[in-house]
Amino acid sequence: MIGIGCVLPAASLVGLVCWGMLIGARQGGSGWLGAAAGFVTWLALMVGYFCLLTIYDWWDRQQHPKRIGVPWWGILVAWLFFAAAIAGAFLLWHATVE
């Protein structure tokens, strides 16, 4: 049986890509550019969720110091990728709307 944890990311991916294509077509621009903007926005949301989990991991490590957590470089890569995805989504949406 498929759980809600699988349905939400899949539905948000399809919804954001279709919504991006619709906005791109309505603004007289490229629907493909809008679809790319929707995909990058979805990617930023998924990486943002992972970044929230790294904050929880950091807090949990403060409470239980003997547990092994995510290495520091993994957290750095996740946050850098999140920042890049947010910037890319902003630029793509800006190019789609105007």
Side-chain angles (χ1 to χ4, degrees):
M1 179 172 225
I2 297 176
I4 192 84
C6 292
V7 171
L8 285 178
S12 64
L13 172 64
V14 171
L16 282 170
V17 169
C18 291
W19 188 56
M21 287 185 93
L22 181 67
I23 287 177
R26 281 195 177 172
Q27 297 292 331
S30 172
W32 291 106
L33 187 62
F39 177 74
V40 173
T41 303
W42 175 80
L43 193 63
L45 286 173
M46 294 298 113
V47 175
Y49 176 68
F50 181 72
C51 289
L52 286 176
L53 290 179
T54 64
I55 294 171
Y56 175 75
D57 183 57
W58 173 79
W59 182 78
D60 192 44
R61 243 193 285 179
Q62 299 296 324
Q63 302 295 322
H64 308 284
K66 295 198 184 248
R67 288 189 185 168
I68 298 173
V70 178
W72 67 270
W73 56 268
I75 295 170
L76 179 66
V77 167
W79 281 93
L80 289 175
F81 194 72
F82 177 65
I86 290 291
F90 175 75
L91 291 174
L92 282 170
W93 281 112
H94 186 67
T96 301
V97 173
E98 287 187 5

